[in-house]
Every structure is written in structure tokens, then in C-alpha cells.
Amino acid sequence: MVAEKPEKRNQVNKIDISGVGVADVDYEIMEKFIAEAIGERRRIAITYASANIINLSQKNAALRRMLNESDIVHPDGIGVWIASKILDKKGLRARFNWTDCGYKFLETCCKENWSIFFLGATTESLEKARGQIEARFPKLRIAGMKNGFDDVESEDIVEYINSTKPDIVWVGMSAPKQEIWIQKNRKALDCYVVQSVGDIFSLFAGEKIRGPEFLQKLGLEWFFRLLYQPERYFKRYTFGIPQFIFNVLKQKLKKKLWSVKYS
């Protein structure tokens, strides 16, 4: 059973982007934060903010509240990083997304002997992911797996996860489904870290196609996804990106008017 110690709020700096407090972190800070929580037997919840999730939070106050109640909301993607530079003199320290760090973190789990539970994707995808991961990380302690469609609605899903005694639970579903699930169940989960990870299981299963490395470095992988799966990403990017930019510029303007008024 996870010890009931007083919750500690994270001490990392945050930048307000459209009402969401995005943590100024990189991989090393995230890994340290997780290691400290496990070492101190504390429960923490980690979510992330992409431009899409921040857009969704503008129309969903409950989602925005759930994000801000997380111990860390880490940035995801170049859009959030650029927005931070517009809104703050320093901005976020790094372009960052957890997908790029997934394999690196599993290697850390092997070294630290942390067990991890995967919740999300389909059963077929999870089995493919298990095969790939176990071949690459034979020492990794996979506590268990459940799909994010049928199994997640089961009334005894939390009881089942707890029975596997994981240190970490990764929740990989679409937004805001994963955030809602975490907020609803975080206090009942007998683990130290519960973290939203999006479609990372599809990456492990070999089903997610990444853009060319040069596009990743330029921050244009989203354009590759749009070309590769237009039916999935057309609305998100063609309408979502302008909406995100508009909201950030509106926030910047309000900030300037406020500073002039009270200077």
C-alpha cells in the first residue's frame, strides 16, 4: 500500500498559457521528480499540455481544472514552446514531449527496478507493444496491461491495477479522456505515479509512424501527420493552430494592457 504522506506540490516554475500552468521542465527534471516521488512514497499525477489540449481546455473548464490540479503539466510539442516564448521573457527551457523520451524512461525503470502498468490503446496494440518492449528491455517489470476502450470502463479496473502493485501507471488515451480518468481515479490508485502518455503505446507497438528526423528537429512533424492522416488531423491542425495562436496573442495583448494600466 502506498504510504499516505502529505501531498507536495511541485516546485518547478510554471508559465500560464491560456489558463493552464505549464511546467518549465525537461526530461532530466521529469525523471528526478518521478524518482523523488517513488523514493519518498508520495502519490503524484502528471499530465501534459499540447496546443490541442489547451484548445480543448478553453471550452471545458473541468478539463482546465483537472490539468491545473496535476502535480506537473509538462509541455508537449513546438506550439506550446513557441507560445511560452511569446508570453514570457525566458519561456520554457526546452522543446519537449514525452513520446521522444519513452524508451529512455523505460531504460531508467529497468535500472531502478520500477514496475509499470500500461492502460490504453487496444488489446492487440498492447500485446504488440509488450513483445517489442520485452525484446528491447528484458529486465523491465511490466506489472500489467489493460486496453483503453472496453477495460477502462470496468468498475473493478482500479482494483485490478492495484492488485498488480505497480510503481507507475501510464494512461494512454485521447484527450480529455485520459485526464478525466486520472482525476477520477488518482486517489484510489495504489501507485506512486500516474501519468498521461497519449498514443505512446502505438509507438511501442510499431503502429505510430513518426515523421522524418529533420522534420522533428524543425518542429514540423505535425505537418507530416496531417499529410499522412488528413482524416484524423485536418480539423485539429487547420482550425486548431489558428485558434491556439489567436488565444495566445489575445493573452499577450491583455498582459501588455494590464502592465500599461498599472505601470
Side-chain angles (χ1 to χ4, degrees):
M1 181 74 178
V2 175
E4 289 291 345
K5 291 192 175 185
E7 296 288 333
K8 291 185 181 180
R9 303 304 296 172
N10 66 78
Q11 299 301 309
V12 298
N13 293 326
K14 297 179 181 178
I15 294 177
D16 183 308
I17 301 178
S18 297
V20 177
V22 182
D24 182 20
V25 295
D26 54 20
Y27 175 77
E28 286 69 28
I29 294 173
M30 289 279 290
E31 184 182 292
K32 181 180 179 183
F33 197 83
I34 292 170
E36 287 178 350
I38 296 174
E40 296 170 7
R41 301 176 67 80
R42 284 188 290 115
R43 294 177 179 176
I44 63 170
I46 299 172
T47 54
Y48 64 88
S50 63
N52 179 56
I53 289 175
I54 290 177
N55 279 348
L56 292 173
S57 76
Q58 302 308 290
K59 301 175 182 178
N60 188 333
L63 172 60
R64 188 164 64 252
R65 185 182 67 252
M66 290 172 190
L67 290 169
N68 287 323
E69 288 176 353
S70 301
D71 295 274
I72 275 189
V73 182
H74 71 76
D76 180 78
I78 191 170
V80 175
W81 181 77
I82 291 174
S84 76
K85 298 295 184 183
I86 294 172
L87 295 169
D88 186 272
K89 287 182 178 180
K90 291 185 178 179
L92 295 168
R93 69 185 63 213
R95 280 172 47 191
F96 176 75
N97 68 73
W98 190 253
T99 300
D100 290 341
C101 306
Y103 288 117
K104 185 176 182 179
F105 185 75
L106 294 184
E107 186 176 350
T108 298
C109 288
C110 292
K111 292 178 181 176
E112 300 294 336
N113 200 33
W114 295 335
S115 62
I116 187 166
F117 190 102
F118 295 162
L119 176 65
T122 64
T123 300
E124 182 181 6
S125 291
L126 288 175
E127 287 303 320
K128 288 180 183 177
R130 180 192 287 273
Q132 297 285 344
I133 290 169
E134 288 181 342
R136 186 165 179 170
F137 304 104
K139 294 183 179 180
L140 180 66
R141 293 172 58 205
I142 299 177
M145 295 180 169
K146 282 289 185 180
N147 80 50
F149 295 92
D150 302 326
D151 294 338
V152 76
E153 301 299 336
S154 171
E155 292 183 1
D156 60 355
I157 183 64
V158 172
E159 184 179 347
Y160 175 78
I161 293 171
N162 289 344
S163 72
T164 68
K165 303 185 184 305
D167 296 310
I168 301 162
V169 175
W170 272 2
V171 183
M173 308 175 198
S174 59
K177 186 178 180 181
Q178 59 190 3
E179 289 79 18
I180 293 171
W181 192 92
I182 288 173
Q183 189 64 17
K184 178 182 177 182
N185 296 287
R186 62 177 292 189
K187 291 183 179 179
L189 285 169
D190 192 12
C191 65
Y192 302 113
V193 180
V194 57
Q195 179 179 2
S196 62
V197 292
D199 60 354
I200 201 169
F201 303 137
S202 297
L203 176 68
F204 294 157
E207 297 172 345
K208 179 178 180 178
I209 307 299
R210 299 295 304 270
E213 189 173 344
F214 79 93
L215 285 181
Q216 294 180 38
K217 289 181 178 179
L218 290 172
L220 294 173
E221 190 178 10
W222 63 269
F223 185 67
F224 174 84
R225 288 195 292 266
L226 176 60
L227 293 177
Y228 190 76
Q229 292 183 294
E231 71 285 353
R232 178 178 180 184
Y233 292 108
F234 180 79
K235 184 177 180 180
R236 179 185 299 187
Y237 292 143
T238 56
F239 295 100
I241 291 175
Q243 177 190 345
F244 180 71
I245 293 170
F246 175 78
N247 288 335
V248 169
L249 293 178
K250 183 171 69 172
Q251 181 182 349
K252 177 70 172 180
L253 179 60
K254 284 183 178 179
K255 197 173 181 181
K256 275 192 174 183
L257 293 174
W258 181 271
S259 63
V260 170
K261 184 177 180 180
Y262 292 96
S263 60

